[in-house]
Amino acid sequence: QYVESRLQTVNLAERLKQAKVAAAAAARKIESRSAGNFLYAVEALKAIERDLYRFDRLEDLPAGLDGLYAGFFKRHFDPDKPDFEARFSPVQKVLQILVAAREPLTRAEIARAAEETEPARTLRLVAAYVPERSGVDGVGRYEVYHKSFADWLTGEQAGDYYASAKEGHARLAASCWAQYQLGAAAMPAYAVTHLPAHLLATERMNDVEQLLTDLAYLERKTKEGLVFELAGDYSAANRTAGSTVRILQLLDEALRRDIH
């Protein structure tokens, strides 16, 4: 029903007419290729609207979401071309950051972590799967559009397009740590909230201990209303560090005794 409804929209109806394909036949073919995956049908129709596939050649639609993702990257960044590394490297860097990010990032936050002055062009190249959405403050933010895409990027099936979440964590940890070193009071909200998680993900335990015993940082995070998140930071740090950092265990216990 969804596919049949979409096929009646102007863009797709015109393409059906040009291809001389009946809507019912096209709907059956797309439903068959989707193997019951609703998201596949959504993305396949979007790809047809972008003229990546044609109604008179629906057999060209790849099987499964992984195939759609791989096909998109193959068309835009062909690994067999000599300029592949130069063209894909900045995209890969941004994707690594986004798959590691713990909430949508502004363009400025991406630029800082990627060490690029302006990532707008890079973001436009992957806008189909990394859309810009307006936050509650009206500022545009970016994230991978669906967990299935993040899973594909960070799995072996991505091949040449693999995006290392660990490398993304390292970049975000470095960026947020640099902001912390300028003073806890001046840290942006993302760094205040998520620096401990990125440090833990990259096993920077000495920095974790320094951060979580810095009264200026603890006060800032508490003033932001993130006391329960802070308790979570201590729990995560203690799980990672085991019994080796006694001060973190004591602070965790003290905080939880008086958390309200």
Side-chain angles (χ1 to χ4, degrees):
Q1 288 176 344
Y2 168 77
V3 174
E4 289 172 351
S5 174
R6 288 279 281 114
L7 292 179
Q8 295 174 28
T9 59
V10 175
N11 286 342
L12 292 173
E14 182 60 30
R15 285 169 172 78
L16 274 172
K17 184 178 178 181
Q18 292 174 354
K20 298 179 181 179
V21 174
R28 284 196 301 273
K29 184 69 173 180
I30 292 169
E31 190 274 333
S32 173
R33 299 295 282 178
S34 74
N37 188 317
F38 197 97
L39 185 59
Y40 179 95
V42 173
E43 290 304 313
L45 290 168
K46 286 182 182 178
I48 293 170
E49 282 184 309
R50 299 186 197 112
D51 294 320
L52 302 179
Y53 300 98
R54 292 164 32 188
F55 280 117
D56 56 352
R57 292 190 58 83
L58 286 177
E59 65 275 9
D60 291 342
L61 280 171
L65 277 170
D66 287 0
L68 281 178
Y69 298 149
F72 172 85
F73 277 91
K74 174 77 171 177
R75 282 187 296 276
H76 289 80
F77 312 100
D78 189 341
D80 295 327
K81 291 186 176 179
D83 65 343
F84 168 73
E85 189 169 342
R87 292 191 71 241
F88 186 64
S89 179
V91 174
Q92 184 180 47
K93 195 187 303 182
V94 167
L95 291 173
Q96 288 171 341
I97 291 164
L98 290 173
V99 297
R102 296 174 66 85
E103 63 181 77
L105 298 175
T106 66
R107 192 181 299 173
E109 288 167 338
I110 294 169
R112 199 157 37 232
E115 298 178 292
E116 289 185 16
T117 54
E118 182 49 73
R121 180 180 178 277
T122 301
L123 288 164
R124 280 198 298 272
L125 292 173
V126 289
Y129 294 124
V130 183
E132 180 183 13
R133 297 189 175 101
S134 181
V136 293
D137 56 1
V139 177
R141 285 176 168 80
Y142 298 83
E143 63 181 333
V144 292
Y145 91 112
H146 194 269
K147 183 179 181 297
S148 65
F149 183 52
D151 290 343
W152 179 78
L153 284 171
T154 55
E156 292 182 1
Q157 64 274 13
D160 292 310
Y161 310 114
Y162 173 74
S164 167
K166 186 169 185 178
E167 181 62 30
H169 282 296
R171 289 187 173 279
L172 286 164
S175 173
C176 294
W177 185 257
Q179 293 167 330
Y180 161 68
Q181 290 182 311
L182 296 175
M187 290 173 73
Y190 183 92
V192 172
T193 307
H194 300 300
L195 176 54
H198 292 307
L199 292 174
L200 285 166
T202 48
E203 300 177 354
R204 291 173 54 171
M205 293 309 301
N206 289 338
D207 293 335
V208 171
E209 183 179 356
Q210 178 182 330
L211 183 70
L212 294 182
T213 55
D214 180 350
L215 294 180
Y217 173 75
L218 303 184
E219 184 177 59
R220 170 70 195 282
K221 191 152 187 171
T222 303
K223 281 185 175 180
E224 294 292 333
L226 299 171
V227 66
F228 287 95
E229 287 80 358
L230 185 58
D233 294 336
Y234 281 116
S235 295
N238 285 319
R239 284 196 302 271
T240 304
S243 60
T244 59
V245 188
R246 181 62 175 155
I247 186 63
L248 295 184
Q249 293 178 328
L250 291 170
L251 284 167
D252 186 11
E253 182 180 350
L255 177 63
R256 290 179 184 279
R257 282 175 180 269
D258 197 30
I259 195 165
H260 292 287

